[in-house]
Amino acid sequence: MSTTGSNTGGTPGNTTGSTARGAEETRRALLAAAGELFTSAGYDRTSVRAIAERAGVNQSLLFRYFGNKEALFAQVVAAQGLDVLHGGPPEELLERTLRSILHRDGEATGGLFDSALRSAASSEAVDAVRDELGSAYGAAFADLTGEAGGGGEDAALRAELLLGWLLGINLLRNVFRSEAVRSADPDVVVGHVSRAAGALLGAVDSDLCDS
Amino acid sequence: MSTTGSNTGGTPGNTTGSTARGAEETRRALLAAAGELFTSAGYDRTSVRAIAERAGVNQSLLFRYFGNKEALFAQVVAAQGLDVLHGGPPEELLERTLRSILHRDGEATGGLFDSALRSAASSEAVDAVRDELGSAYGAAFADLTGEAGGGGEDAALRAELLLGWLLGINLLRNVFRSEAVRSADPDVVVGHVSRAAGALLGAVDSDLCDS
DNA sequence: GTCGCGGGTAAGCGATTGCTTACCGTGAGG
DNA sequence: CCTCACGGTAAGCAATCGCTTACCCGCGAC
């Protein structure tokens, strides 16, 4: 689409000048803006007007390209789930996740975890969140269970218990800002969590006996 | 306050008949209704109108007796925190909490944990939640840490890590309704959690070395 | 009788929200 | 020229929300 011609900015329906950029770019901007806001404010406290403003477009485009707010949310958390999967090798996911939780500074917000925690009360959001958490973390954590990893008895259950723990740690440290875990040395936290995770997953019993 | 006289129900300002019952009873009804709704729907998705209707009074009474929604929420979670403290001896708190999470049926909701989880995105609610969680669980869990309990190194941190875990388990099982933990035998879950909690709290190291 | 107190109600305000509708400009094709 | 498709905007609808205001009634004291 050509953008030749003078900028008549402000005219209703105006697509000349800097506001017209193509459906893909607009869609991308909306997804990015929504991702940031759903993560920091959650589903209910993120309005479609705020998303559109942040993306630099009119809010009706959100409905044109995504159908409704709920569908946009689902696409945001799906993208956040892919970010988890593409963030590194599965066997490092536990440590990577834990460190990203513990090295969060100030008002910074994360991805899928924060969207999930801040949207827990939103019935429209819950299914997408549960499914993405499962896709992003389920298999990788299940593979950590058993004597030598690779899956063991109750693998899925133990994977979920581990996931719940990480969500809870993130909740207390970065959402509720609870004092002890917030002020603790991250390495100390990693030490305690790793030890207990070992007991939960059954992967490092021999190391535990050395302690 | 006497309720003699005919019931002229429906008249603005009418206090005859069954609607006038005394400040304490009204306050109590509002607290109970708010407790149920904040627990099942969270702060943002609970309207003052819904609370008042559930309590059987006009919504302006909520503002008369509690000042505003935020203050009412703080009183609700304070009461829920007391419920935790009065629910039994501190040394049984871990198991009691875990079982109440795991034996939750259908749409039933709990107390402080559910209010907390479903209000995480509400800035007005977060401070009250954090403080009540700390009061209700902090000391009891800290006393479980160390070789023989009674507190140990990093007691407060480990207590919080344990609290985070329980919150996370409740979140996945009862809010997100994640499949594995939801369908698991509660005793199996208790087994895994107790083993790992033992490693976290340092209470049963010798047992772990036997495995 | 009046007045004040306390408990109660309905109505309404200003703001916000997800979503819809009407309209515009541009470029391509007939 | 016209029409259509596409990407874009502003305005507005109906509903909801926390909170406020105006009013009522019963009762006891004076």
Side-chain angles (χ1 to χ4, degrees):
Chain A
M1 181 177 70
S2 166
T3 56
T4 59
S6 61
N7 185 346
T8 58
T11 307
N14 175 33
T15 59
T16 59
S18 62
T19 60
R21 51 192 168 179
E24 269 313 303
E25 176 62 16
T26 297
R27 196 179 273 116
R28 200 199 55 74
L30 284 166
L31 266 173
E36 289 156 11
L37 290 171
F38 286 140
T39 301
S40 61
Y43 186 88
D44 284 340
R45 291 210 168 187
T46 296
S47 70
V48 293
R49 282 173 176 82
I51 295 170
E53 181 178 351
R54 197 178 184 98
V57 301
N58 185 276
Q59 69 171 335
S60 68
L61 292 187
L62 186 152
F63 296 94
R64 173 174 293 175
Y65 292 126
F66 296 97
N68 56 37
K69 186 183 178 183
E70 181 177 344
L72 174 60
F73 182 84
Q75 289 202 30
V76 166
V77 294
Q80 288 173 336
L82 284 182
D83 287 346
V84 172
L85 289 175
H86 297 156
E91 55 272 12
E92 296 174 5
L93 183 57
L94 171 56
E95 176 156 352
R96 178 164 35 103
T97 304
L98 198 47
R99 290 205 178 273
S100 79
I101 291 167
L102 298 173
H103 287 97
R104 184 84 54 78
D105 293 319
E107 305 298 323
T109 55
L112 183 55
F113 269 25
D114 282 32
S115 299
L117 290 168
R118 291 192 167 96
S119 306
S122 314
S123 50
E124 307 94 303
V126 167
D127 288 349
V129 161
R130 182 194 58 239
D131 296 346
E132 287 306 322
L133 285 170
S135 301
Y137 293 94
F141 284 176
D143 280 351
L144 298 180
T145 63
E147 294 291 344
E153 181 186 6
D154 293 333
L157 171 61
R158 288 192 276 176
E160 268 187 28
L161 291 175
L162 179 60
L163 173 61
W165 200 10
L166 295 174
L167 285 164
I169 292 169
N170 193 43
L171 180 68
L172 281 179
R173 186 185 189 278
N174 298 325
V175 178
F176 292 150
R177 297 162 176 271
S178 207
E179 177 60 30
V181 65
R182 193 160 181 78
S183 61
D185 174 351
D187 287 337
V188 172
V189 180
V190 170
H192 287 303
V193 175
S194 298
R195 188 175 71 248
L200 175 64
L201 301 175
V204 288
D205 286 341
S206 62
D207 291 335
L208 286 172
C209 290
D210 292 339
S211 64
Chain B
M1 182 177 70
S2 163
T3 57
T4 57
S6 63
N7 185 345
T8 60
T11 308
N14 175 33
T15 59
T16 59
S18 63
T19 60
R21 50 192 169 182
E24 270 312 306
E25 176 61 18
T26 297
R27 197 179 272 118
R28 200 199 56 75
L30 284 167
L31 267 174
E36 288 156 13
L37 290 171
F38 285 140
T39 301
S40 61
Y43 186 87
D44 283 342
R45 291 210 166 186
T46 295
S47 69
V48 294
R49 283 172 175 82
I51 294 170
E53 181 178 351
R54 197 177 184 97
V57 300
N58 186 277
Q59 69 171 337
S60 70
L61 292 186
L62 184 153
F63 295 95
R64 172 175 293 176
Y65 291 125
F66 297 97
N68 57 34
K69 186 183 179 184
E70 181 176 344
L72 174 59
F73 182 82
Q75 289 202 30
V76 164
V77 293
Q80 289 174 336
L82 284 181
D83 287 347
V84 173
L85 289 174
H86 297 158
E91 55 270 14
E92 295 174 8
L93 185 56
L94 171 56
E95 175 156 353
R96 176 161 39 96
T97 303
L98 197 47
R99 291 206 177 271
S100 78
I101 291 167
L102 298 174
H103 287 96
R104 184 82 57 76
D105 295 319
E107 303 300 320
T109 55
L112 183 56
F113 268 27
D114 283 34
S115 300
L117 291 168
R118 290 191 170 98
S119 305
S122 315
S123 50
E124 305 94 303
V126 166
D127 289 348
V129 160
R130 182 194 58 239
D131 295 345
E132 286 306 321
L133 286 171
S135 301
Y137 293 95
F141 284 177
D143 281 350
L144 298 180
T145 63
E147 294 291 345
E153 181 184 7
D154 292 335
L157 170 63
R158 289 192 275 177
E160 267 186 32
L161 291 175
L162 179 59
L163 174 60
W165 200 11
L166 295 174
L167 285 164
I169 293 170
N170 193 43
L171 179 69
L172 281 180
R173 186 185 187 279
N174 299 322
V175 177
F176 292 150
R177 299 164 174 266
S178 206
E179 177 59 28
V181 65
R182 192 161 181 79
S183 61
D185 175 351
D187 287 336
V188 174
V189 180
V190 169
H192 287 302
V193 175
S194 298
R195 188 176 71 249
L200 174 65
L201 301 175
V204 287
D205 281 344
S206 59
D207 292 334
L208 284 172
C209 290
D210 290 340
S211 64

